[in-house]
Amino acid sequence: MTTKYKSVPLLSSEVTQKKDYLSRRDFLKQAGIVTAGAALLAACGTPADETPATSVPQNLSPAQEASSLSEELTAQESVLTYNNYYEFTTDKERVAKLAENFQSSPWTVEVSGLVNNPQNFSIEDILGNFNIEERIYRMRCVEAWSMVIPWNGFALSELIKAVDPTPEAKYIRFETLADPDQMPGLSNGLYPWPYQEGLRLDEALNDLTILSTGLYGEELASQNGAPIRLVVPWKYGFKSIKSIVKIELTSEQPSTFWEDIAPNEYGFFANVNPEIDHPRWSQASERRIGELKRRETLPFNGYAGEVAHLYEGMDPAKLF
Ligand code: MTE
């Protein structure tokens, strides 16, 4: 992965004003896709004087609590223009332009492997059948920059339940579209296309793990992985595979794109850990896009309470 940290200067005029975002949220609420997790953002993500405490919903699930951050959202403009999507280019600031005409409709996600009920889901099936809600998560790239993104999506566990895994299923594998006519980066023969990723089944079933179909209340843009991508907030961003066409339940640990390329630098687990440095740089701190001062990186990207139990008894050195 490139180690070049290009700084992204942000003018205050570029930062999305919270009032604009909140009015978009009101619109979404009318459309019925804002849930308790989103309501919490209004409570925790804005100064106390803007939001009455009475709007804090009670009885939140751990995922809803985790997705309510008191940190500033990253400007929508930055989320849309500073991207890693190597199928298009390795230049973060050119992805959006090169992905402009990407055809993400019609789209089918094949879900197969060790399941009793394999299915091909169209995006329309997905939007119609799963409970799309808003989750505000930190995203920490392995390159030591980070963002806070309001995703729209649904728990991956819902989709897994719909296909009914057999008892032999222990892992889940994801694959991105690889269409050389649309993705100029595929001609870069250095990489083992298609991009593929994987999770252990218990990680995939954790309530924090979502499939995202949108962000900032809008459809997912091509550069962010339209029409559907994975989001696993306690792992480095490379696990959050974009534009998924295939999901497979397996008994063996699947190979993954970055582990294939450099197994000593990018492991299968890729849990955010400030104490385990990348061989070529420190992971102790990060550059939050839009901020000047570096922040300390948190274990499991701040989600230890929700996920640390998944790794009890495992050697942390093997969880990078
Ligand atoms: N998925 C695919 N198919 N191709 C990629 O190059 N890059 C990963 C991840 N998913 C990548 C991918 C990396 S390194 C990061 S940090 C995130 O996508 C970036 O997501 P974003 O551009 O939406 O912020």
Side-chain angles (χ1 to χ4, degrees), residues 69-320:
L69 292 179
S70 54
E71 295 161 33
E72 287 279 337
L73 298 178
T74 299
Q76 184 180 15
E77 179 67 11
S78 302
V79 182
L80 294 173
T81 58
Y82 190 76
N83 303 101
N84 271 334
Y85 201 163
Y86 278 30
E87 286 86 337
F88 290 93
T89 172
T90 56
D91 180 345
K92 294 181 189 11
E93 287 162 33
R94 284 180 63 230
V95 176
K97 182 75 192 148
L98 289 170
E100 213 171 41
N101 298 318
F102 180 65
Q103 293 298 315
S104 57
S105 173
W107 193 273
T108 305
V109 184
E110 180 194 317
V111 189
S112 60
L114 298 173
V115 297
N116 292 313
N117 184 23
Q119 291 186 57
N120 288 330
F121 293 93
S122 69
I123 283 302
E124 292 72 26
D125 294 335
I126 287 172
L127 293 174
N129 287 312
F130 297 109
N131 181 28
I132 309 287
E133 54 182 62
E134 187 176 70
R135 299 282 186 93
I136 297 145
Y137 287 151
R138 299 179 198 91
M139 185 179 74
R140 168 63 158 80
C141 180
V142 74
E143 298 162 334
W145 54 266
S146 65
M147 297 188 180
V148 176
I149 302 178
W151 301 101
N152 305 101
F154 61 97
L156 172 61
S157 63
E158 285 193 41
L159 180 127
I160 294 175
K161 279 176 206 140
V163 295
D164 189 15
T166 67
E168 293 75 39
K170 300 283 182 265
Y171 293 90
I172 184 164
R173 174 184 175 272
F174 306 83
E175 194 177 302
T176 296
L177 178 76
D179 178 357
D181 292 339
Q182 298 198 74
M183 299 167 141
L186 294 182
S187 61
N188 183 335
L190 292 175
Y191 294 110
W193 311 112
Y195 198 103
Q196 52 176 340
E197 257 306 337
L199 296 172
R200 224 169 50 188
L201 195 53
D202 59 344
E203 298 177 315
L205 291 171
N206 186 277
D207 207 18
L208 287 184
T209 307
I210 60 167
L211 286 172
S212 166
T213 53
L215 60 82
Y216 259 105
E218 292 169 8
E219 267 179 26
L220 211 52
S222 302
Q223 60 270 31
N224 296 109
I228 184 162
R229 57 106 41 100
L230 184 69
V231 180
V232 195
W234 72 95
K235 293 178 180 282
Y236 291 117
F238 67 83
K239 298 294 287 183
S240 294
I241 181 173
K242 296 178 171 182
S243 306
I244 297 167
V245 286
K246 192 166 179 190
I247 299 178
E248 211 181 345
L249 283 285
T250 65
S251 57
E252 304 287 326
Q253 182 175 306
S255 35
T256 60
F257 184 80
W258 283 106
E259 196 186 17
D260 276 1
I261 295 167
N264 59 326
E265 300 193 357
Y266 312 103
F268 176 81
F269 283 98
N271 293 329
V272 174
N273 187 339
E275 289 177 11
I276 301 186
D277 288 338
H278 185 279
R280 290 181 280 131
W281 60 86
S282 163
Q283 294 292 26
S285 70
E286 64 202 55
R287 183 170 60 87
R288 175 70 52 82
I289 301 297
E291 293 182 355
L292 292 175
K293 266 183 62 191
R294 289 182 79 85
R295 283 177 175 260
E296 275 181 24
T297 289
L298 303 172
F300 296 104
N301 204 21
Y303 302 103
E306 288 76 29
V307 299
H309 67 276
L310 298 173
Y311 309 101
E312 255 161 39
M314 288 183 72
D315 176 0
K318 299 221 164 74
L319 294 169
F320 68 93

